[in-house]
Amino acid sequence: MDQFLASVERRAYCIALQAVGSREDALDLVQDAMLKLVQKYANKSANDWPGLFHAILQSRIRDWYRRGKVRSPWRVWLDKF
């Protein structure tokens, strides 16, 4: 598992960075995706890990956008006060 995570780390970071535009958020997303893979799918075949990891990463990126949509109207409203 360690070798797999090391092999996809850089590419996953580039994908996340391009998607969200923030280095800190991209690192958090990649870390969350890696942690979820280890927690839930470590017992799966190593051949399944790439597909599972990228699906988890894309899901985390979508969640990031959803949270941004929910928070954005509140920020605008609260900034007025």
Side-chain angles (χ1 to χ4, degrees):
M1 178 68 76
D2 291 336
Q3 287 178 335
F4 169 74
L5 293 176
S7 71
V8 297
E9 179 180 22
R10 181 178 295 261
R11 182 170 168 87
Y13 172 73
C14 290
I15 290 168
L17 180 60
Q18 188 159 5
V20 300
S22 165
R23 290 181 180 186
E24 294 81 19
D25 289 339
L27 287 172
D28 287 344
L29 291 169
V30 172
Q31 184 178 17
D32 287 347
M34 288 181 169
L35 184 61
K36 184 67 135 186
L37 181 73
V38 170
Q39 288 175 340
K40 300 284 184 178
Y41 302 107
N43 59 349
K44 293 279 189 180
S45 167
N47 293 333
D48 295 336
W49 292 342
L52 289 168
F53 175 73
H54 287 289
I56 294 168
L57 180 61
Q58 291 301 319
S59 177
R60 294 286 182 227
I61 291 170
R62 278 191 301 274
D63 290 345
W64 183 87
Y65 275 104
R66 285 186 196 124
R67 281 192 307 271
K69 280 188 169 188
V70 169
R71 290 181 189 159
S72 182
W74 285 104
R75 284 187 188 156
V76 170
W77 185 78
L78 291 173
D79 286 344
K80 290 180 183 178
F81 299 101

